Amino acid sequence: FIFIFLKRYGCNKDKTYDEANAICKSKGLSLCSLDQIKKCNTCGTGCGYDAARIWTSSTNHVPNIRAQLRCDVGSSSVANTTSAIGSMGHELILRDYVDGATNIQFIDQSLVFSKDGTVKEWNIFAHRPGTVKLQVWRIVQGERYKLIGETEINVSQTGVLKYPLPSFSEIQVEAGDVVGWRHTGAGVISFAMGGPPVRWFYGNPVGVMGEVTFSSGQNRQYSISVTCFNACSS
């Protein structure tokens, strides 16, 4: 998939045409053509450049202008974006309970991303209104995890709710990362007892790249799911 090749040359912004061209060439690649960009061949593949100005191989040399870049990974490696969209999670239904605990952080150890990719949409069944942070965590060791990214959601109604992410706020994930959530006030997401292992941690929130140890847990099933590019594909 393009996302895998993107990791070869990284996110590069505010480059001149010559700099952009040199970055792609240094990795044995070339700048994408204008036709490839117009067909959205690189949409949703990371860095938040979908709506940004992009250098292309079709661009005439323009000095003193800076823009972002995408490298052409070759037609044999370009995935169909639609076919790479998948989802994982639990059924979005009303369940028996909602958390009353406050200042608490959860991970669902059954919701594991199978590949590198991006989170494109969060989906929950809201048992009641409130504020919740929907998150991605990466294992450090044992029950210790690092926060990779999060989306804060202000829930004003109950029922099935879907939250598509704009390209600039999509969360890049790696294989093995897990889904989590946090609420400072009372819980929002409907859940039932039994099901997969869920771990939790009481305490103050950490920022992105912060670490916590999830010292307690129980088998529960929460009404949460996620839509991904590549990361939820089988």
Side-chain angles (χ1 to χ4, degrees):
F1 289 96
I2 295 177
F3 181 85
I4 306 303
F5 283 83
L6 180 60
K7 294 178 72 175
R8 284 174 53 182
Y9 62 90
C11 296
N12 298 273
K13 66 178 182 177
D14 298 332
K15 302 299 182 184
T16 65
Y17 176 84
D18 288 341
E19 288 171 338
N21 199 30
I23 288 169
C24 290
K25 284 186 175 181
S26 71
K27 302 299 182 180
L29 305 170
S30 61
L31 287 170
C32 286
S33 68
L34 179 61
D35 185 61
Q36 287 173 316
I37 298 298
K38 285 183 174 180
K39 289 180 178 178
C40 208
N41 284 352
T42 64
C43 289
T45 56
C47 300
Y49 292 167
D50 289 356
R53 183 166 57 183
I54 299 289
W55 286 118
T56 73
S57 60
S58 311
T59 307
N60 292 326
H61 177 78
V62 182
N64 302 321
I65 296 293
R66 293 184 175 273
Q68 286 55 253
L69 67 96
R70 293 291 201 195
C71 298
D72 177 12
V73 299
S75 58
S76 63
S77 302
V78 176
N80 180 285
T81 301
T82 301
S83 66
I85 299 296
S87 62
M88 70 171 181
H90 309 304
E91 188 177 1
L92 303 178
I93 59 173
L94 177 65
R95 302 180 191 270
D96 295 332
Y97 304 101
V98 64
D99 288 297
T102 59
N103 202 26
I104 189 169
Q105 170 73 61
F106 296 88
I107 56 170
D108 186 329
Q109 293 178 313
S110 73
L111 298 183
V112 182
F113 294 98
S114 60
K115 300 177 183 178
D116 295 355
T118 56
V119 172
K120 299 186 73 65
E121 182 179 78
W122 294 105
N123 312 296
I124 64 171
F125 189 102
H127 200 103
R128 63 183 167 199
T131 300
V132 61
K133 290 183 177 181
L134 306 175
Q135 303 171 318
V136 174
W137 290 81
R138 184 168 300 156
I139 190 167
V140 176
Q141 184 177 21
E143 301 298 342
R144 191 163 184 81
Y145 286 75
K146 177 189 298 183
L147 179 61
I148 300 303
E150 63 183 4
T151 307
E152 184 171 29
I153 304 296
N154 294 312
V155 178
S156 60
Q157 62 189 74
T158 60
V160 175
L161 303 175
K162 296 180 180 292
Y163 297 93
L165 302 182
S167 59
F168 63 84
S169 63
E170 291 177 355
I171 301 172
Q172 296 190 17
V173 303
E174 295 182 1
D177 290 350
V178 301
V179 170
W181 59 93
R182 175 183 177 79
H183 47 85
T184 302
V188 171
I189 305 171
S190 197
F191 79 91
M193 303 301 293
V198 172
R199 307 287 299 178
W200 59 76
F201 162 82
Y202 284 96
N204 294 327
V206 297
V208 173
M209 305 309 291
E211 298 181 9
V212 300
T213 299
F214 291 87
S215 53
S216 301
Q218 191 176 44
N219 287 356
R220 297 181 177 184
Q221 189 162 77
Y222 284 79
S223 292
I224 183 171
S225 69
V226 59
T227 303
C228 323
F229 175 80
N230 196 32
C232 302
S233 304
S234 59

